[in-house]
Amino acid sequence: MSDNNPLKRPASPAEVSQYLKVTHDRLFDNNRAWAADKAQKDPGYFARLSAGQSPEYLWIGCSDSRIPAEQITGLEPGEAFIHRNIANLVCNTDLNVMSVINYAVRHLGVKHIIVCGHYGCGGVKAAMTPKDLGLLNPWLRNIRDVYRLHEKELDAIADEEARYNRLVELNVEEQCRNIIKTAAVQQSYAKNQYPIVHGWVFGFHDGLLKDLKIDFQAMLKNVQKIYNLTD
């Protein structure tokens, strides 16, 4: 379809309109095919799906369209509660992500929280671009703060791509730390011994996930020196 994309060349309004209709209808065609296939292979699938959700995982990932969480982990609908934003940030002033964490932990009882970044992240690169990015400025400032916290390590990396990749990893680690600062996670872990927080990074070059081996208990202990909200 991309070869006939009129948006990439001069086109008439009629061509653009037809293209938009085709790309819109394609999703419904795919949905009908998916639903029919699921019903044929597993007649009870939608009955179970409609009964409610009890996911084991909360996934906080980047909005990048190339990283479908369920597909790269082999999960089915209902197995992961998913939140995505630019550069997979967990900001305490973002009521969206804070509400997601609270609901996932207190009401769904997730056992694992995964922060998944990816190498070559456009948000991370944009954050380190010395230019005014308008509305994105306050959002990307969180990544610049990560750089500031790890400035000595990052400045010692001469290769630019390697430096950005390391910043991606450090950003994931800092977002894991931000999750551990929340009352919902601290109180649930004190009571239930879950959830555990994990930091992962996805690589486009091979499609594999890298586990950053976050030491959850050590990070929790260090965080609670200042951010203890267990009472």
Side-chain angles (χ1 to χ4, degrees):
M1 182 173 295
S2 59
D3 293 338
N4 298 318
N5 186 350
L7 304 183
K8 295 183 178 180
R9 57 179 173 76
S12 68
E15 286 181 300
V16 173
S17 178
Q18 178 60 23
Y19 174 79
L20 295 177
K21 181 179 185 306
V22 168
T23 53
H24 169 270
D25 292 348
R26 172 188 171 215
L27 301 186
F28 282 91
D29 292 340
N30 290 346
N31 171 248
R32 284 188 289 269
W34 172 79
D37 181 65
K38 283 292 185 183
Q40 181 182 21
K41 292 180 178 178
D42 184 357
Y45 179 80
F46 290 109
R48 293 195 304 274
L49 205 62
S50 62
Q53 61 172 330
S54 55
E56 296 281 321
Y57 309 95
L58 167 59
W59 174 282
I60 299 176
C62 184
S63 296
D64 193 298
S65 60
R66 298 168 293 175
I67 312 168
E70 293 96 338
Q71 286 182 249
I72 66 174
T73 55
L75 296 175
E76 290 287 338
E79 293 189 290
F81 198 57
I82 294 176
H83 176 81
R84 297 169 68 167
N85 61 45
I86 294 173
N88 43 269
L89 296 182
V90 178
C91 310
N92 70 313
T93 55
D94 179 6
L95 295 183
N96 192 338
V97 72
M98 288 293 115
S99 298
V100 165
I101 292 170
N102 188 77
Y103 184 76
V105 173
R106 296 191 189 276
H107 299 280
L108 297 178
V110 297
K111 308 305 185 293
H112 303 271
I113 301 178
I114 299 159
V115 179
C116 186
H118 65 94
Y119 296 117
C121 180
V124 170
K125 289 186 176 181
M128 300 318 300
T129 302
K131 63 184 295 187
D132 180 4
L133 296 171
L135 186 62
L136 282 173
N137 287 337
W139 185 258
L140 298 179
R141 187 178 301 134
N142 294 285
I143 305 172
R144 293 186 174 112
D145 286 341
V146 173
Y147 197 112
R148 176 177 54 81
L149 290 170
H150 302 275
E151 183 176 5
K152 185 175 181 180
E153 175 187 350
L154 290 165
D155 284 351
I157 302 174
D159 181 75
E160 185 177 33
E161 183 178 0
R163 186 165 62 250
Y164 277 130
N165 285 343
R166 181 56 182 151
L167 180 55
V168 165
E169 296 175 349
L170 291 170
N171 182 53
V172 167
E173 291 181 12
E174 288 299 329
Q175 306 320 310
C176 289
R177 186 171 285 107
N178 289 341
I179 292 172
I180 294 172
K181 292 175 185 176
T182 65
V185 169
Q186 291 186 26
Q187 291 169 11
S188 177
Y189 186 77
K191 179 181 179 181
N192 306 308
Q193 296 300 293
Y194 62 78
I196 304 297
V197 179
H198 310 271
W200 297 354
V201 181
F202 178 79
F204 289 117
H205 66 286
D206 58 9
L208 296 178
L209 291 162
K210 177 180 179 179
D211 187 350
L212 298 180
K213 306 292 185 182
I214 298 296
D215 188 337
F216 171 75
Q217 291 185 336
M219 188 177 283
L220 174 65
K221 182 179 179 180
N222 288 334
V223 159
Q224 287 183 325
K225 291 178 182 178
I226 301 173
Y227 304 95
N228 192 335
L229 302 175
T230 52
D231 295 332

